Amino acid sequence: MDLGLKNKNAAITGASQGIGEAVAHALANEGSNVAICARNKERLDQTVSELKAKGVKAVGVIADLSSEEGCQLFIEEAIKELGSLQILVNNVGGMIPGTLANMGEDTWARAINVNLMAAVYTTKHAAEHLKNNDWARILNVTGFSGTQLLPGALSTTIPNAGLIGFNKLMANELGSSNITVNNICPGMINTESWGPRGEAMAKVRNTTSEELRKGFASQTMLGRWAEPSEVGDLAAFMVSERNSYMTGTTVEICGGITKYIS
Ligand SMILES: NC(=O)c1ccc[n+]([C@@H]2O[C@H](COP(=O)([O-])OP(=O)(O)OC[C@H]3O[C@@H](n4cnc5c(N)ncnc54)[C@H](OP(=O)(O)O)[C@@H]3O)[C@@H](O)[C@H]2O)c1
């Protein structure tokens, strides 16, 4: 199926590694030009050169999306370099291990700013540009801690639930401009960042990271974690021209770790 993504311009937040990187590769594979951002230059440059090797335009912007200023900078640079914008993927974020007792103001500010407000601010600064097209797409990346109980996931549950609400509001607000706004909700995805995160979580749960990983795998119906490219492929369809009548939805890609029926 031709997804209709050739020569479209996409901005993907937090995409030098992990799911964001996989989304950037999936879009580049379909012929989209991509702008990505991260704080660490070395890793960003490496990913940009791998994307360029696919024959598309790829731009890396060093930006810290924990502030509105950083979000605005990324969107402005992306549009300056690519010329226009049809697709925004709000991916940046991640779990910060912590408990109610030991998470202080700084940790909470980081968790809320990066996991929730970054999507709000990039959408704010991208919306008028996205409206300059026949159609455009916004895809938010949350996580299943926003839809079902994941004990201990304080730093993502609260922003993810907020982002799912924001997703619905934006779908309603931008629908008349033929901009669809959807949310994908990954489960256990085998990204590099799970190395240190798994170690920290295992310590709190008094187990090993290997046992922790096996435990999560056994909670899924497929009995395994996913590779980031599996999420990238779904994201490419979600933001494609072919996916034209889906908006305001949350689509899970979690191997069946969630068990509710409705
Ligand atoms: N992996 C999973 O199992 C999983 C499950 C459910 C949901 N998710 C969600 O999927 C998204 C991606 O997760 P991931 O595991 O792929 O993350 P990851 O591997 O930790 O990658 C995060 C990316 O974002 C960048 N980044 C982090 N903080 C940033 C900031 N303040 N400003 C700009 N860039 C920043 C990182 O580069 P720098 O560090 O250089 O900035 C990196 O490129 C997140 O929203 C996460 O909540 C992941």
Side-chain angles (χ1 to χ4, degrees):
M1 175 167 48
D2 177 4
L3 293 181
L5 284 169
K6 200 167 169 37
N7 298 324
K8 299 299 175 196
N9 296 328
I12 304 134
T13 68
S16 63
Q17 65 177 58
I19 292 172
E21 179 186 15
V23 172
H25 276 286
L27 293 182
N29 288 342
E30 296 297 323
S32 292
N33 303 310
V34 286
I36 64 173
C37 72
R39 294 161 302 173
N40 180 298
K41 182 177 181 334
E42 206 176 317
R43 185 63 194 256
L44 186 67
D45 287 349
Q46 185 191 324
T47 303
V48 166
S49 60
E50 286 164 11
L51 290 164
K52 278 183 178 161
K54 294 179 188 273
V56 298
K57 193 164 182 183
V59 177
V61 180
I62 297 171
D64 184 346
L65 299 196
S66 60
S67 70
E68 177 171 5
E69 195 185 355
C71 296
Q72 183 173 4
L73 172 88
F74 173 51
I75 295 301
E76 283 176 359
E77 284 297 309
I79 290 165
K80 196 170 96 190
E81 295 295 326
L82 298 178
S84 63
L85 194 67
Q86 289 80 43
I87 296 161
L88 170 65
V89 181
N90 287 315
N91 164 77
V92 74
M95 193 183 287
I96 306 169
T99 63
L100 184 63
N102 72 17
M103 278 176 68
E105 254 182 287
D106 285 354
T107 313
W108 272 114
R110 194 151 49 97
I112 301 290
N113 286 339
V114 179
N115 289 320
L116 173 61
M117 295 314 296
V120 173
Y121 291 133
T122 49
T123 302
K124 172 182 168 182
H125 291 284
E128 291 308 311
H129 301 279
L130 293 170
K131 285 179 187 173
N132 294 331
N133 302 286
D134 292 342
W135 60 267
R137 306 277 181 257
I138 297 175
L139 181 68
N140 297 307
V141 180
T142 61
F144 75 97
S145 67
T147 59
Q148 82 152 22
L149 178 69
L150 180 59
L154 272 172
S155 66
T156 54
T157 297
I158 293 168
N160 278 345
L163 189 47
I164 292 169
F166 178 69
N167 185 78
K168 191 71 98 179
L169 281 165
M170 289 304 102
N172 184 53
E173 185 162 328
L174 298 172
S176 59
S177 302
N178 204 18
I179 301 173
T180 67
V181 186
N182 291 293
N183 167 44
I184 55 169
C185 196
M188 307 312 299
I189 315 299
N190 197 14
T191 55
E192 282 171 51
S193 56
W194 257 107
R197 190 184 300 133
E199 296 284 346
M201 211 182 258
K203 211 178 267 180
V204 173
R205 296 183 183 194
N206 212 12
T207 181
T208 63
S209 57
E210 200 180 327
E211 285 306 313
L212 184 95
R213 290 181 76 88
K214 277 192 203 154
F216 278 127
S218 71
Q219 288 173 44
T220 71
M221 294 176 190
L222 295 177
R224 66 173 178 89
W225 290 51
E227 291 308 314
S229 62
E230 297 180 87
V231 184
D233 288 343
L234 171 66
F237 173 73
M238 294 291 291
V239 301
S240 73
E241 189 174 13
R242 295 286 79 75
N243 189 24
S244 51
Y245 199 58
M246 179 191 280
T247 198
T249 63
T250 289
V251 175
E252 293 184 339
I253 173 156
C254 63
I257 202 165
T258 57
K259 307 290 190 302
Y260 41 73
I261 287 171
S262 64

Coordinates of all heavy atoms in Angstrom, one line a residue, residues 13-21 37-41 43-44 47 61-67 90-95 110 113-115 118 141-145 156 160 163 184-194 197 225-226 228 231 253, ligand 1:
T13 N 9.6 14.7 17.8 CA 10.3 15.2 19.0 C 11.0 14.0 19.6 O 10.5 12.9 19.7 CB 9.4 15.9 20.0 OG1 8.5 14.9 20.5 CG2 8.5 17.0 19.3
G14 N 12.2 14.3 20.2 CA 13.0 13.3 21.0 C 13.2 12.1 20.1 O 12.8 11.0 20.5
A15 N 14.0 12.3 19.0 CA 14.1 11.1 18.1 C 15.5 10.7 17.7 O 15.7 10.2 16.6 CB 13.3 11.5 16.8
S16 N 16.5 11.0 18.6 CA 17.8 10.5 18.3 C 18.0 9.1 18.6 O 18.9 8.4 18.1 CB 18.9 11.4 19.0 OG 18.7 11.2 20.4
Q17 N 17.1 8.5 19.4 CA 17.1 7.1 19.7 C 15.7 6.6 20.1 O 14.8 7.4 20.1 CB 18.1 6.8 20.9 CG 17.7 7.4 22.2 CD 18.6 7.1 23.3 OE1 19.8 7.4 23.3 NE2 18.1 6.5 24.4
G18 N 15.6 5.3 20.3 CA 14.4 4.7 20.8 C 13.2 4.8 19.8 O 13.4 4.7 18.6
I19 N 12.0 5.0 20.3 CA 10.8 5.0 19.5 C 10.8 6.1 18.5 O 10.5 5.9 17.3 CB 9.5 5.0 20.4 CG1 9.4 3.7 21.2 CG2 8.3 5.3 19.6 CD1 8.3 3.7 22.3
G20 N 11.2 7.3 18.9 CA 11.3 8.5 18.0 C 12.2 8.2 16.8 O 11.8 8.5 15.7
E21 N 13.3 7.6 17.1 CA 14.2 7.3 16.0 C 13.6 6.3 15.0 O 13.7 6.4 13.8 CB 15.5 6.7 16.6 CG 16.5 6.3 15.5 CD 17.7 5.5 16.0 OE1 17.7 5.1 17.2 OE2 18.7 5.4 15.3
C37 N 14.8 16.1 17.0 CA 15.5 16.9 18.0 C 15.9 16.0 19.1 O 15.3 14.9 19.4 CB 14.7 18.0 18.5 SG 13.3 17.6 19.5
A38 N 16.9 16.5 19.9 CA 17.4 15.8 21.1 C 18.3 16.8 21.8 O 18.6 17.9 21.2 CB 18.1 14.5 20.8
R39 N 18.8 16.5 23.0 CA 19.8 17.4 23.6 C 21.2 17.0 23.3 O 22.1 17.8 23.2 CB 19.5 17.3 25.2 CG 18.2 17.9 25.6 CD 17.8 17.4 27.0 NE 17.8 15.9 27.0 CZ 17.6 15.2 28.1 NH1 17.4 15.8 29.3 NH2 17.6 13.9 28.0
N40 N 21.5 15.7 23.1 CA 22.8 15.2 22.9 C 23.2 15.3 21.4 O 22.6 14.6 20.6 CB 22.9 13.8 23.5 CG 24.3 13.2 23.3 OD1 24.8 13.0 22.2 ND2 24.9 12.9 24.4
K41 N 24.2 16.1 21.1 CA 24.5 16.3 19.7 C 25.1 15.1 19.0 O 24.7 14.8 17.8 CB 25.6 17.5 19.6 CG 25.9 17.9 18.2 CD 26.9 19.0 18.2 CE 27.3 19.5 16.8 NZ 27.3 18.6 15.7
R43 N 24.7 11.8 19.4 CA 23.7 10.8 19.0 C 22.8 11.3 17.9 O 22.4 10.6 17.0 CB 23.0 10.4 20.2 CG 22.0 9.2 20.0 CD 22.8 8.0 19.5 NE 21.9 7.0 19.0 CZ 21.5 5.9 19.7 NH1 22.0 5.6 20.9 NH2 20.6 5.0 19.1
L44 N 22.4 12.6 18.0 CA 21.5 13.3 17.1 C 22.2 13.3 15.7 O 21.5 12.9 14.7 CB 21.2 14.7 17.5 CG 20.2 15.5 16.7 CD1 18.8 14.9 16.9 CD2 20.2 16.9 17.2
T47 N 22.1 9.8 14.1 CA 20.8 9.4 13.6 C 20.5 10.2 12.3 O 20.0 9.6 11.3 CB 19.7 9.6 14.6 OG1 20.1 8.9 15.8 CG2 18.3 9.2 14.2
V61 N 18.0 19.1 15.2 CA 17.9 20.3 16.0 C 18.2 20.0 17.4 O 17.5 19.2 18.0 CB 16.6 21.0 15.9 CG1 16.6 22.3 16.6 CG2 16.2 21.2 14.4
I62 N 19.3 20.6 18.0 CA 19.5 20.5 19.4 C 18.6 21.4 20.2 O 18.6 22.6 20.0 CB 21.0 20.8 19.8 CG1 21.9 19.9 19.0 CG2 21.2 20.7 21.3 CD1 23.4 20.2 19.1
A63 N 17.7 20.7 20.9 CA 16.7 21.5 21.7 C 16.3 20.7 22.9 O 16.2 19.5 22.9 CB 15.5 21.8 20.8
D64 N 16.1 21.5 24.0 CA 15.6 20.9 25.2 C 14.1 21.2 25.3 O 13.7 22.3 25.5 CB 16.4 21.4 26.4 CG 15.9 20.7 27.7 OD1 14.9 20.0 27.7 OD2 16.6 20.9 28.7
L65 N 13.3 20.1 25.2 CA 11.9 20.4 25.1 C 11.2 20.4 26.5 O 10.0 20.4 26.6 CB 11.2 19.3 24.3 CG 11.6 19.1 22.8 CD1 10.7 18.3 22.0 CD2 11.8 20.5 22.1
S66 N 12.0 20.6 27.5 CA 11.4 20.8 28.8 C 10.9 22.2 29.0 O 10.4 22.6 30.1 CB 12.3 20.4 29.9 OG 13.5 21.1 29.9
S67 N 11.1 23.1 28.0 CA 10.5 24.5 28.1 C 9.8 24.8 26.8 O 10.1 24.2 25.8 CB 11.7 25.5 28.3 OG 12.4 25.6 27.1
N90 N 4.6 13.9 18.4 CA 5.0 14.3 19.8 C 5.4 13.0 20.5 O 4.6 12.4 21.2 CB 3.8 15.0 20.5 CG 3.6 16.4 20.0 OD1 4.5 17.1 19.8 ND2 2.3 16.7 19.7
N91 N 6.7 12.7 20.4 CA 7.2 11.4 21.0 C 7.9 11.6 22.3 O 8.0 10.7 23.2 CB 8.1 10.8 20.0 CG 8.9 9.7 20.6 OD1 8.4 8.6 20.9 ND2 10.2 10.0 20.9
V92 N 8.6 12.8 22.5 CA 9.5 12.9 23.6 C 8.9 12.5 24.9 O 7.7 12.8 25.2 CB 10.1 14.4 23.6 CG1 9.1 15.4 24.2 CG2 11.4 14.4 24.4
G93 N 9.7 11.9 25.8 CA 9.2 11.6 27.1 C 9.9 10.3 27.6 O 10.8 9.7 27.0
G94 N 9.4 9.9 28.7 CA 10.0 8.6 29.3 C 9.7 8.6 30.8 O 9.4 9.6 31.4
M95 N 9.8 7.4 31.3 CA 9.5 7.2 32.8 C 10.7 7.6 33.6 O 11.8 7.2 33.3 CB 9.2 5.7 33.0 CG 8.5 5.5 34.4 SD 8.2 3.7 34.6 CE 6.8 3.5 33.5
R110 N 10.1 18.0 35.7 CA 10.7 17.4 34.6 C 9.7 16.4 33.9 O 9.5 16.4 32.7 CB 12.0 16.7 35.0 CG 12.9 16.2 33.9 CD 14.3 16.2 34.3 NE 14.6 15.5 35.6 CZ 15.0 14.2 35.7 NH1 15.1 13.5 34.6 NH2 15.2 13.7 36.9
N113 N 6.7 18.4 32.4 CA 7.1 19.3 31.2 C 7.5 18.4 30.0 O 7.0 18.7 28.9 CB 8.3 20.1 31.6 CG 7.9 21.3 32.5 OD1 6.8 21.6 32.6 ND2 8.9 21.8 33.2
V114 N 8.3 17.3 30.2 CA 8.7 16.6 29.1 C 7.6 15.6 28.6 O 7.4 15.4 27.4 CB 10.0 15.8 29.4 CG1 10.5 15.0 28.2 CG2 11.1 16.8 29.8
N115 N 6.9 15.0 29.5 CA 5.9 14.0 29.1 C 4.6 14.6 28.6 O 3.8 13.9 27.9 CB 5.6 13.0 30.2 CG 6.8 12.1 30.4 OD1 7.5 11.6 29.5 ND2 7.2 11.8 31.7
A118 N 5.5 19.4 26.6 CA 6.3 19.4 25.4 C 5.3 19.2 24.2 O 5.4 19.9 23.2 CB 7.4 18.4 25.3
V141 N 2.5 10.3 21.3 CA 3.0 9.0 21.8 C 2.8 9.0 23.3 O 3.5 9.9 24.0 CB 4.4 8.7 21.4 CG1 4.9 7.3 22.0 CG2 4.6 8.8 19.9
T142 N 2.0 8.2 23.9 CA 1.8 8.2 25.3 C 2.4 6.8 25.8 O 3.5 6.5 25.5 CB 0.4 8.4 25.8 OG1 -0.4 7.4 25.2 CG2 -0.1 9.7 25.3
G143 N 1.6 6.1 26.5 CA 2.0 4.8 27.0 C 0.9 4.2 27.8 O 0.0 4.9 28.2
F144 N 0.9 2.8 28.0 CA -0.3 2.2 28.6 C -0.5 2.6 30.1 O -1.6 2.3 30.6 CB -0.3 0.7 28.4 CG 0.7 -0.1 29.2 CD1 0.3 -0.7 30.4 CD2 2.0 -0.2 28.9 CE1 1.1 -1.4 31.2 CE2 2.9 -0.9 29.7 CZ 2.5 -1.5 30.8
S145 N 0.5 3.2 30.7 CA 0.3 3.7 32.1 C -0.7 4.8 32.1 O -1.2 5.1 33.2 CB 1.6 4.2 32.7 OG 2.1 5.3 32.0
T156 N 4.7 8.9 34.6 CA 4.1 8.8 33.2 C 2.6 8.7 33.3 O 1.9 9.2 32.4 CB 4.7 7.6 32.4 OG1 4.5 6.4 33.1 CG2 6.1 7.8 32.0
N160 N 0.5 11.1 30.9 CA -0.1 10.3 29.8 C -1.6 10.5 29.8 O -2.2 10.6 28.7 CB 0.3 8.8 29.9 CG 1.7 8.5 29.3 OD1 2.3 9.3 28.6 ND2 2.2 7.3 29.6
L163 N -2.3 13.8 28.4 CA -2.0 13.9 27.0 C -3.1 13.2 26.2 O -3.5 13.7 25.1 CB -0.7 13.2 26.7 CG -0.1 13.4 25.3 CD1 -0.1 14.8 24.8 CD2 1.4 12.9 25.3
I184 N -0.8 7.1 20.0 CA -0.5 5.7 20.1 C 0.1 5.4 21.5 O 0.7 6.3 22.1 CB 0.5 5.2 19.0 CG1 1.8 6.0 18.9 CG2 -0.2 5.1 17.7 CD1 2.8 5.3 18.1
C185 N -0.3 4.3 22.0 CA 0.0 3.9 23.3 C 0.8 2.6 23.4 O 0.3 1.5 23.4 CB -1.4 3.7 23.9 SG -1.5 3.7 25.6
P186 N 2.2 2.8 23.4 CA 3.0 1.6 23.4 C 3.0 0.9 24.8 O 2.7 1.5 25.8 CB 4.4 2.1 23.2 CG 4.2 3.6 22.7 CD 3.0 4.0 23.4
G187 N 3.3 -0.4 24.7 CA 3.5 -1.2 25.9 C 5.0 -1.3 26.2 O 5.6 -0.3 26.4
M188 N 5.5 -2.5 26.3 CA 6.9 -2.7 26.7 C 7.7 -2.7 25.4 O 7.7 -3.7 24.6 CB 7.1 -4.0 27.5 CG 6.2 -4.1 28.7 SD 6.1 -2.7 29.7 CE 7.8 -2.6 30.3
I189 N 8.5 -1.7 25.2 CA 9.2 -1.5 23.9 C 10.7 -1.6 24.2 O 11.2 -0.9 25.1 CB 8.9 -0.2 23.2 CG1 7.4 0.0 23.2 CG2 9.5 -0.2 21.8 CD1 6.5 -1.0 22.5
N190 N 11.4 -2.4 23.5 CA 12.8 -2.7 23.8 C 13.8 -1.6 23.4 O 14.6 -1.8 22.5 CB 13.2 -4.0 23.0 CG 14.4 -4.7 23.6 OD1 14.9 -4.3 24.6 ND2 14.9 -5.6 22.8
T191 N 13.7 -0.4 24.0 CA 14.6 0.7 23.7 C 15.8 0.7 24.7 O 15.7 0.1 25.8 CB 13.8 2.0 23.9 OG1 13.2 2.1 25.2 CG2 12.7 2.2 22.8
E192 N 16.8 1.3 24.2 CA 18.1 1.4 25.0 C 17.8 1.9 26.5 O 18.4 1.5 27.4 CB 19.1 2.3 24.4 CG 19.8 1.8 23.2 CD 20.6 2.9 22.5 OE1 21.4 3.6 23.2 OE2 20.4 3.0 21.3
S193 N 16.9 2.9 26.5 CA 16.7 3.6 27.8 C 16.1 2.6 28.9 O 16.2 2.9 30.0 CB 15.8 4.8 27.6 OG 14.6 4.4 27.0
W194 N 15.6 1.4 28.4 CA 15.1 0.5 29.4 C 16.2 -0.2 30.1 O 16.0 -0.8 31.2 CB 14.2 -0.6 28.7 CG 12.8 -0.3 29.0 CD1 11.9 0.2 28.1 CD2 12.1 -0.4 30.2 NE1 10.6 0.4 28.7 CE2 10.7 0.1 30.0 CE3 12.4 -0.8 31.5 CZ2 9.8 0.1 31.0 CZ3 11.5 -0.8 32.5 CH2 10.2 -0.3 32.3
R197 N 16.7 2.2 33.2 CA 15.4 2.3 33.9 C 15.0 1.0 34.5 O 14.6 0.9 35.6 CB 14.4 2.7 32.8 CG 13.1 3.1 33.5 CD 12.0 3.4 32.4 NE 12.4 4.5 31.6 CZ 12.3 4.5 30.2 NH1 11.9 3.4 29.6 NH2 12.7 5.5 29.5
W225 N 8.5 -8.5 24.5 CA 8.6 -7.1 24.3 C 8.5 -6.8 22.8 O 8.7 -7.7 22.0 CB 9.9 -6.5 24.9 CG 10.0 -6.5 26.4 CD1 9.7 -7.6 27.2 CD2 10.3 -5.4 27.2 NE1 10.0 -7.2 28.5 CE2 10.3 -5.9 28.5 CE3 10.7 -4.1 26.9 CZ2 10.6 -5.1 29.6 CZ3 11.0 -3.3 28.0 CH2 11.0 -3.7 29.3
A226 N 8.3 -5.5 22.4 CA 8.3 -5.2 21.0 C 9.6 -4.5 20.7 O 10.2 -3.9 21.5 CB 7.1 -4.2 20.7
P228 N 11.4 -1.3 18.7 CA 10.9 0.0 18.3 C 10.4 0.1 16.9 O 9.5 0.9 16.6 CB 12.2 0.9 18.5 CG 13.0 0.1 19.5 CD 12.7 -1.3 19.3
V231 N 6.7 -0.2 16.4 CA 6.0 1.0 16.7 C 6.1 2.0 15.6 O 5.2 2.7 15.2 CB 6.5 1.7 18.1 CG1 5.6 2.9 18.4 CG2 6.4 0.6 19.2
I253 N -0.4 -0.3 21.2 CA 0.5 -1.2 20.5 C 1.3 -1.8 21.7 O 2.4 -1.4 22.0 CB 1.4 -0.6 19.4 CG1 2.4 -1.6 18.9 CG2 1.9 0.7 19.8 CD1 2.9 -1.3 17.6
Ligands
LIG1 N1 10.2 2.3 25.7 C1 9.0 1.9 26.2 O1 8.9 0.8 26.6 C2 7.8 2.9 26.2 C3 6.6 2.4 26.6 C4 5.5 3.2 26.7 C5 5.6 4.5 26.3 N2 6.8 5.0 25.8 C6 6.9 6.4 25.4 O2 7.5 6.5 24.1 C7 8.2 7.7 24.0 C8 9.7 7.4 23.7 O3 10.2 6.6 24.6 P1 11.7 5.9 24.4 O4 11.7 4.7 25.3 O5 11.9 5.6 23.0 O6 12.7 7.0 24.9 P2 14.3 7.0 24.9 O7 14.8 5.8 24.3 O8 14.7 7.5 26.2 O9 14.6 8.3 23.9 C9 14.2 9.5 24.2 C10 14.6 10.5 23.1 O10 14.2 11.8 23.5 C11 15.3 12.7 23.6 N3 15.0 13.5 24.8 C12 14.8 13.2 26.1 N4 14.6 14.2 26.8 C13 14.6 15.3 26.0 C14 14.4 16.7 26.2 N5 14.1 17.2 27.4 N6 14.4 17.5 25.1 C15 14.6 17.0 23.9 N7 14.8 15.7 23.6 C16 14.8 14.9 24.7 C17 16.5 11.7 23.9 O11 17.7 12.3 23.5 P3 18.6 13.2 24.5 O12 18.7 12.4 25.8 O13 19.9 13.4 23.8 O14 17.8 14.5 24.7 C18 16.1 10.6 22.9 O15 16.4 10.9 21.6 C19 8.1 8.4 25.4 O16 7.0 9.3 25.3 C20 7.7 7.3 26.3 O17 7.0 7.7 27.4 C21 7.9 4.2 25.8

